[in-house]
């Protein structure tokens, strides 16, 4: 893994490395002395503050954090599966906010895992196991009913791989979750939102309770962006989720029930046989 360094904001050195998924960059945060942003081939993937791992900078990561916060009473340890590792932002968040939690991170890019471990080391006391496996293969190793929360945030070349978009994949998520657990998936799409609508239909084919959080401009199909889909076999805390999403620094909207069904617009669930990767982001998506 070849590495080189260049100066970032505040004089700290950025790190550039070739990993399995492309060119990785760790860029220092100008406003946070030990804050870093991970980019892969120019696409922002994660932000980490080593001094404050409970700080979530990215809009979609804050919404994934809400799934963790609302999964159980404050402070109670959780069993969490993270599909997609990045810089381990959400795993660090769980460890900081719910000590004694047990976590499994599945990240296919072994070179990226090595880079992050070297440059942004995990707390050695945190109960975090990292597997360098494909997300679906790693999920298959999780025991039945083990996870309180499953978080899917998997991108390869800024696209979610096709085999992670099907009802068969979501059924495997449900198998690994305990009754009443929460599944939270980061979904990227833009107009006409065909991928997002199909993903809602796909998850609805497996889980009876759903809610969607996103920027209103994304939901209206005005720009490419991220939406976080929440699912469970039990009632979701929609009122509290709505309050938290509305009070985020980048306020969002939550859809559920009839409004979410109407938004889905009769889209058909995706099966393995016809699964496709998520759309290619437009060139201006990350500017």
């Amino acid at each position: 893994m070849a590495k080189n360094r260049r100066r970032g904001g505040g004089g700290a050195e950025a790190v550039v490395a070739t990993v399995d998924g492309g060119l990785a960059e760790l860029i220092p945060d100008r406003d946070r002395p030990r804050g870093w942003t991970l980019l892969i081939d120019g696409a922002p993937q994660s932000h980490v503050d080593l001094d404050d791992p409970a700080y979530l900078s990215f809009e979609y990561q804050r919404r994934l954090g809400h799934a963790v916060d609302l999964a159980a009473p404050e402070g109670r340890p959780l069993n969490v599966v993270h599909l997609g590792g990045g810089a381990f932002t959400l795993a660090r968040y769980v460890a900081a906010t719910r000590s004694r939690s047990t976590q499994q991170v599945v990240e296919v890019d072994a070179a990226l895992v090595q880079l992050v471990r070297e440059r942004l080391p995990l707390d050695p006391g945190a109960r975090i196991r990292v597997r360098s496996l494909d997300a679906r293969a790693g999920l298959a190793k999780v025991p039945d009913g083990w996870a309180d929360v499953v978080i899917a945030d998997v991108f390869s070349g800024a696209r979610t791989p096709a085999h992670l978009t099907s009802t068969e994949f979501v059924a495997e998520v449900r198998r690994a979750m305990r009754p009443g657990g929460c599944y939270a998936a980061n979904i990227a799409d833009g107009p006409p939102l065909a991928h997002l609508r199909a993903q809602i239909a796909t998850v609805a084919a497996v889980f009876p309770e759903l809610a969607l959080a996103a920027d209103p401009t994304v939901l209206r199909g005005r720009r490419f962006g991220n939406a976080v889909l929440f699912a469970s076999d039990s009632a979701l805390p929609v009122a509290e989720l709505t309050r938290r999403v509305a009070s985020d620094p980048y306020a969002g909207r939550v859809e559920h029930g009839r409004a979410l069904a109407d938004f889905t617009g009769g889209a058909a669930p995706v099966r393995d046989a016809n699964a496709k990767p998520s759309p290619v982001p437009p060139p201006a998506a990350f500017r």
Side-chain angles (χ1 to χ4, degrees), residues 36-287:
W36 296 84
T37 298
L38 168 67
L39 293 83
I40 304 292
D41 287 341
Q45 298 287 328
S46 308
H47 178 278
V48 169
D49 187 338
L50 298 179
D51 288 333
D52 184 9
Y55 173 75
L56 299 177
S57 174
F58 288 2
E59 170 185 315
Y60 80 87
Q61 289 182 329
R62 290 184 64 86
R63 289 168 188 159
L64 294 172
H66 296 328
V68 172
D69 294 343
L70 298 175
E74 184 177 352
R76 179 183 294 178
L78 297 172
N79 290 345
V80 184
V81 175
H82 303 265
L83 304 177
F88 310 144
T89 304
L90 269 296
R92 299 173 200 268
Y93 178 82
V94 173
T97 60
R98 294 180 179 271
S99 62
R100 298 180 293 111
S101 291
T102 302
Q103 303 186 73
Q104 297 188 37
V105 178
V106 184
E107 170 55 62
V108 69
D109 194 328
L112 176 61
V113 169
Q114 180 183 343
L115 173 67
V116 172
R117 283 190 179 277
E118 288 176 356
R119 302 296 303 183
L120 310 175
L122 290 165
D123 179 351
R127 300 169 63 177
I128 301 173
R129 179 180 184 180
V130 182
R131 297 177 185 264
S132 294
L133 293 172
D134 169 78
R136 194 153 160 181
L139 180 62
K141 294 182 177 296
V142 177
D144 292 0
W146 183 83
D148 297 294
V149 180
V150 176
I151 295 173
D153 185 17
V154 186
F155 290 87
S156 176
R159 305 177 75 184
T160 299
H163 69 296
L164 305 180
T165 67
S166 67
T167 54
E168 291 90 341
F169 165 70
V170 180
E172 186 68 5
V173 170
R174 185 165 183 177
R175 176 203 61 77
M177 281 171 46
R178 68 162 179 82
C182 181
Y183 173 49
N186 179 28
I187 301 169
D189 199 11
L193 300 179
H195 173 70
L196 177 57
R197 298 180 206 277
Q199 285 305 287
I200 297 168
T202 300
V203 176
V206 179
F207 286 101
E209 300 291 333
L210 278 71
L212 181 73
D215 186 300
T217 60
V218 173
L219 292 177
R220 288 195 288 266
R222 293 184 178 176
R223 68 172 179 87
F224 192 95
N226 297 85
V228 174
L229 184 61
F230 305 86
S232 180
D233 60 6
S234 301
L236 291 163
V238 173
E240 179 60 19
L241 178 63
T242 300
R243 186 190 69 78
R244 290 177 181 235
V245 170
S247 63
D248 279 341
Y250 298 97
R253 192 172 83 214
V254 172
E255 299 286 10
H256 69 286
R258 170 53 65 183
L260 184 58
D262 290 345
F263 175 82
T264 306
V270 176
R271 311 291 181 188
D272 274 344
N274 64 343
K276 299 177 182 178
S278 63
V280 177
F286 306 119
R287 291 178 186 169

Side-chain angles (χ1 to χ4, degrees), residues 16-43:
V16 182
T18 301
V19 297
D20 300 339
L23 188 70
E25 299 174 84
L26 290 173
I27 308 299
D29 188 328
R30 297 184 180 187
D31 300 319
R32 291 179 168 259
R34 298 186 71 209
W36 296 84
T37 298
L38 168 67
L39 293 83
I40 304 292
D41 287 341

